[in-house]
Amino acid sequence: MKIALALGGGGARGNSHIGVIRGLEREGFRIEAIAGSSAGGIIAACYAAGITTDEMEKTFAESDQSKLWNRGAHNGPSLLGISGFTELLDHYFGDTRMEDLKIPCAVTAVDIKSGKEVVIDSGKVVDAVQATIALPGILPPFHFEKRVLVDGGVLNPVPVSVARYLNKNLPIVAVVLSPLMDPEIELKGISIPNLIPSPIIERIKKTRLAQALNIFLLSVDAGGRMLTDLRLKIDSPDVVIRPRVGHIGLLDNVDVHELVRIGEVAVDEMLEELHQKTGWSGTLNRKIRRAIKDKVD
């Protein structure tokens, strides 16, 4: 069963994408195109490059998460840097280009000068990933030609539309890492102590600036949840898989193996719908909907 995959953002939660992909492969699904925003863009690029889920899990589990976001000499205006993460990207991708990946792949970013979404499906993979993960204010923006690019999740948290652009004939499976709009669910901000080990971190955490930043990030997260739900209604993926990772903050230090397991469980919970929507009846319904839409357009 061939599918296209759209992987949403979610910071540290993105490790659960590895488990989702593993679960899909185990059930016989073939991912023929993949798109990602933010953390989803990292996993999308890795998978499209032929890196296995086992390799991804091992690499991210063995990485010192607190050092990934160290600031480098050339990092732009941001709270954290990406020097450690860039080294990891260079190791795996080097000069590999998006157009040379094993399956069609694209990631999204936003040009803050024009306010427009940018779909990146060509150029160096390292550049594409740096652009799609550039969480505004937290991680440095990526300068490309005359554009200043930030996290693709700002406008397209789960790039269903981009996966459809890569292959309009395949059923689209969207993987969403933000929790459902539910007043009982408490949002998570950024866990500063995990990112800046220091004997005075408790004092930093209590400053008004740190508290104000956390309020800002929680507000952004709330708006992102609403935007995600609206985009899903508009873009209409065939299946939505939602790993239970809403309790995890964007840049928390996490147990990668546990998150991968959560991703696998999420696939198991959606197996019946997956087979139904990607089988012959789902294919027929999709063709009918596309024919109606083309006629209306």
Side-chain angles (χ1 to χ4, degrees), residues 216-272:
F216 168 73
L217 291 171
L218 288 170
S219 301
V220 170
D221 204 6
R225 285 203 300 168
M226 178 65 77
L227 177 59
T228 297
D229 286 359
L230 290 174
R231 287 295 307 243
L232 289 173
K233 289 178 181 178
I234 293 169
D235 295 331
S236 300
D238 295 274
V239 180
V240 174
I241 297 175
R242 201 182 289 259
R244 301 177 190 275
V245 291
H247 60 288
I248 295 169
L250 292 175
L251 294 176
D252 278 357
N253 274 334
V254 295
D255 182 338
V256 172
H257 302 299
E258 176 63 14
L259 279 174
V260 171
R261 187 192 67 80
I262 290 173
E264 293 183 73
V265 169
V267 173
D268 292 338
E269 293 174 344
M270 295 299 295
L271 274 182
E272 183 176 349

Side-chain angles (χ1 to χ4, degrees), residues 52-132:
T52 68
T53 56
D54 288 347
E55 291 171 326
M56 282 188 262
E57 180 177 2
K58 183 175 186 295
T59 295
F60 295 132
E62 292 178 352
S63 297
D64 185 339
Q65 296 172 46
S66 66
K67 294 182 179 179
L68 290 177
W69 315 114
N70 288 340
R71 290 192 58 80
H74 302 294
N75 288 163
S78 59
L79 178 64
L80 304 173
I82 56 170
S83 60
F85 189 72
T86 302
E87 289 179 8
L88 189 65
L89 292 176
D90 285 333
H91 172 72
Y92 273 101
F93 296 113
D95 292 326
T96 302
R97 299 178 65 82
M98 295 290 288
E99 53 267 48
D100 296 330
L101 295 174
K102 297 180 184 298
I103 62 173
C105 175
V107 302
T108 65
V110 174
D111 179 5
I112 57 174
K113 285 189 172 182
S114 67
K116 294 181 179 179
E117 179 180 0
V118 178
V119 176
I120 306 174
D121 59 0
S122 62
K124 291 178 63 175
V125 175
V126 172
D127 293 345
V129 173
Q130 288 184 75
T132 196

Side-chain angles (χ1 to χ4, degrees), residues 120-190:
I120 306 174
D121 59 0
S122 62
K124 291 178 63 175
V125 175
V126 172
D127 293 345
V129 173
Q130 288 184 75
T132 196
I133 67 169
L135 186 63
I138 306 301
L139 299 178
F142 185 77
H143 293 262
F144 178 72
E145 296 178 348
K146 295 182 179 181
R147 292 170 168 172
V148 181
L149 303 178
V150 297
D151 192 320
V154 169
L155 291 180
N156 199 350
V158 186
V160 174
S161 57
V162 180
R164 189 168 284 126
Y165 149 77
L166 292 174
N167 194 321
K168 66 179 182 179
N169 296 316
L170 293 177
I172 309 295
V173 176
V175 187
V176 183
L177 302 185
S178 59
L180 289 165
M181 295 298 296
D182 185 339
E184 299 300 320
I185 294 177
E186 183 174 335
L187 297 177
K188 289 275 290 183
I190 283 186

